Amino acid sequence: MFEQLFPNVQVDDMITATNETLFMTFFSVLGTFIFGLLLGLLLYLTGPGGIWQNKIANWITATFVNVFRAIPFIILILLLFPFTDFLVGTIRGPSAALPALIIGGAPFYARLVEIALKEVDKGVIEAAKAMGAKYRTIIFKVLLPESTPALISGLTVTAIALISYTAVAGVIGAGGLGDFAYFYGFQRNSFDVVFVCTVLIVIIVFVFQFIGDFASRKLDKR
């Protein structure tokens, strides 16, 4: 039945493409979380009223974030070819897509981190200061725990954006379902391949959305 409906779909190749998409998504989300969290903390802590308030540091961080958020992802990949080749040793394959995915995703997540931190009750922060808490304690014992549900929700949104980025990266040879849909589906007029790739990407998005929503609800103490 499956072969009749989708005659051009090779199951083994589709599984390989799905695994490549999951590989790119998992490691890009991990890298985006680390660098995006650091950038978001810098934006918040060096901003007006922050505990490390510093106009120059905030301007530099905000400029970096805004510039890389403004560059369309397909162009960002092309711009980063020399850097990717130096770092990974190739500009093709799932591993080669990771630098562009992380650099493209981290600034986006950084803004969501900043928004999440701004939602933390100022009274809680002031109380911690009044008790003589050090900056490290305020960050790791107050700011991050209080904003965890929002941080998880922001990461979920970012992860879904990164899944779409992996499909774009596939068009220039990064592998994954985007690569498979374009080269083995679109270019060969095998639209059953394009359809199956689309369904698989939608399923991956739904799974990430479910996991993110579940984790956010579990960690929300309100």
Side-chain angles (χ1 to χ4, degrees):
M1 181 67 177
F2 181 85
E3 292 179 354
Q4 292 176 340
L5 288 173
F6 309 106
N8 299 300
V9 175
Q10 300 296 320
V11 176
D12 289 343
D13 292 339
M14 194 65 73
I15 291 172
T16 300
T18 303
N19 288 336
E20 289 174 345
T21 292
L22 291 173
F23 169 84
M24 288 187 283
T25 302
F26 177 79
F27 285 103
S28 64
V29 168
L30 181 62
T32 294
F33 173 72
I34 294 170
F35 291 108
L37 186 63
L38 291 174
L39 287 170
L41 279 168
L42 272 176
L43 284 170
Y44 174 78
L45 296 173
T46 61
I51 57 177
W52 293 344
Q53 184 171 335
N54 185 307
K55 287 184 178 181
I56 296 176
N58 185 259
W59 181 84
I60 292 172
T61 307
T63 300
F64 175 84
V65 167
N66 292 337
V67 166
F68 281 96
R69 281 180 66 206
I71 301 173
F73 183 69
I74 189 71
I75 296 175
L76 180 64
I77 295 176
L78 300 176
L79 284 173
L80 291 175
F81 268 175
F83 175 72
T84 300
D85 191 33
F86 169 77
L87 194 66
V88 184
T90 180
I91 58 173
R92 298 182 66 84
S95 297
L98 292 178
L101 288 168
I102 293 170
I103 292 173
F108 178 80
Y109 184 55
R111 284 299 184 187
L112 297 179
V113 170
E114 182 188 20
I115 292 169
L117 295 174
K118 285 181 176 179
E119 292 177 354
V120 176
D121 188 355
K122 298 290 184 183
V124 178
I125 300 172
E126 292 301 325
K129 287 181 180 178
M131 294 173 64
K134 296 180 180 179
Y135 291 155
R136 183 174 60 182
T137 303
I138 293 173
I139 294 169
F140 291 102
K141 298 294 185 181
V142 179
L143 283 173
L144 292 181
E146 289 291 325
S147 61
T148 296
L151 293 176
I152 298 272
S153 295
L155 187 62
T156 303
V157 173
T158 306
I160 291 170
L162 286 169
I163 293 169
S164 69
Y165 286 175
T166 65
V168 175
V171 175
I172 58 169
L177 290 168
D179 180 294
F180 202 77
Y182 182 72
F183 289 104
Y184 295 92
F186 176 74
Q187 288 198 341
R188 297 183 181 182
N189 288 322
S190 301
F191 287 98
D192 54 333
V193 174
V194 177
F195 177 77
V196 173
C197 288
T198 303
V199 170
L200 288 172
I201 289 173
V202 169
I203 291 172
I204 293 171
V205 168
F206 277 24
V207 169
F208 271 82
Q209 186 70 61
F210 175 79
I211 294 171
D213 290 345
F214 178 80
S216 182
R217 285 195 302 270
K218 282 293 183 181
L219 293 170
D220 194 345
K221 300 175 183 178
R222 292 174 294 181

